[in-house]
Amino acid sequence: MTLPTYYLSHGGGPWPWMPQAAPTYAVLGASLKALRRELDEAPRAVLVVTAHWETEDFAFSAAESPGMIYDYSGFPPETYEIVYPAPGLPALAEQAAGLLRGGGMAASTDARRGFDHGTFSLMQAIWPAAQLPVVQMSIRRDYDPALHLAAGRLLAPLRDAGVAIIGSGLSFHNLRAMGTQGRQASAAFDGWLQRSLIGKQGPARDEALLHWEQAPAARLVHPREDHLMPLHVAVGAAADAPGSLAYHQNDFFGAITASSFRFGTAPVPQ
């Protein structure tokens, strides 16, 4: 069974642990629960490409029992004590790094890296039981779109080995424009994303992502492309699997248009 890949919004900070955030994240949360249902028991592990871990070359977390990295500020005190107790899988980290090295890319493993909120908030929303082993993959701090696409292509064999590859970011990531000031820019960029990804596959899709800065409002939506690069890895790993919409909302935080995407066919009916 070949698993699909995903590019998913992980939301803001530790939102799944905050009851007061439930109205804001109702639509996103429902989409992530639907993902758990559609994957059912298919994955044996999850590889999360997280926007919140940047390294010179690609790296993979290899702790057997990863700790927590509370990489946010201004949240309630109790959110700095939360734990997502999923195990790591050092063998998968080594396998993934080996696939990149086999393709001529530098890659390493990190036995000290804990879960950042790009991983634990997303995973808590999808698999709150924390039953699946999780390995994190960093993005390169040069944000090279071609290299992120190429890395994804090298990781594609993991899809046939029961590994769900999830790019964790956000299709709109300009924290200074999260209200009405981001309405038009987010809608314009999201429209480009959907035209470039839904039903599209192969070289034409890759070409669009290579030149993402030419998209409408691109730099207003992503002043830094850290939250976009996980998409490139997910698309690279998808090979020729067509894209589809996994989540869409045009009133996130009251005004923002945001989407998540699936590449490939879910293993069970939704």
Side-chain angles (χ1 to χ4, degrees):
M1 176 186 298
T2 302
L3 293 179
T5 71
Y6 296 87
Y7 172 62
L8 304 177
S9 168
H10 60 241
W15 66 271
W17 284 269
M18 299 171 61
Q20 64 270 37
T24 298
Y25 289 98
V27 179
L28 176 60
S31 75
L32 297 175
K33 290 178 182 178
L35 186 152
R36 178 173 74 241
R37 291 193 297 271
E38 76 180 27
L39 286 176
D40 196 35
E41 297 181 2
R44 69 173 180 88
V46 183
L47 177 65
V48 178
V49 187
T50 171
H52 289 277
W53 185 19
E54 299 182 21
T55 52
E56 197 70 29
D57 296 305
F58 292 112
F60 298 86
S61 63
E64 291 188 358
S65 299
M68 300 286 284
I69 299 174
Y70 303 113
D71 52 340
Y72 42 78
S73 60
F75 286 85
E78 63 270 17
T79 63
Y80 297 88
E81 299 177 1
I82 59 177
V83 175
Y84 187 75
L89 189 57
L92 174 58
E94 292 289 350
Q95 181 184 9
L99 288 171
L100 294 196
R101 295 187 199 113
M105 287 191 176
S108 63
T109 60
D110 186 340
R112 296 174 297 176
R113 179 72 186 185
F115 293 145
D116 58 61
H117 87 266
T119 297
F120 64 71
S121 290
L122 187 68
M123 291 297 295
Q124 174 68 18
I126 305 172
W127 286 289
Q131 75 273 32
L132 293 178
V134 179
V135 169
Q136 294 177 128
M137 176 182 175
S138 70
I139 58 171
R140 286 175 51 119
R141 59 173 55 101
D142 60 10
Y143 303 148
D144 186 317
L147 286 175
H148 286 80
L149 281 166
R153 285 191 286 269
L154 293 172
L155 294 171
L158 297 177
R159 298 172 57 209
D160 294 317
V163 178
I165 299 175
I166 297 176
S168 173
L170 186 59
S171 60
F172 176 91
H173 195 252
N174 183 342
L175 299 183
R176 295 184 177 182
M178 280 301 290
T180 55
Q181 61 269 49
R183 187 192 304 275
Q184 292 184 347
S186 65
F189 187 78
D190 194 86
W192 174 84
L193 273 180
Q194 294 197 40
R195 292 191 299 273
S196 301
L197 300 175
I198 296 176
K200 303 298 175 57
Q201 57 195 115
R205 181 173 65 190
D206 290 356
E207 189 68 15
L209 291 181
L210 284 174
H211 302 288
W212 72 271
E213 287 182 279
Q214 297 176 13
R219 279 299 177 186
L220 291 174
V221 172
H222 290 285
R224 294 175 69 245
E225 54 265 47
D226 50 338
H227 279 63
L228 189 65
M229 286 300 104
L231 167 64
H232 289 64
V233 180
V235 166
D240 285 332
S244 58
L245 199 61
Y247 153 74
H248 178 73
Q249 188 171 1
N250 59 14
D251 60 350
F252 187 54
F253 278 85
I256 298 301
T257 299
S259 294
S260 296
F261 299 89
R262 177 195 306 104
F263 304 97
T265 303
V268 296
Q270 299 185 45

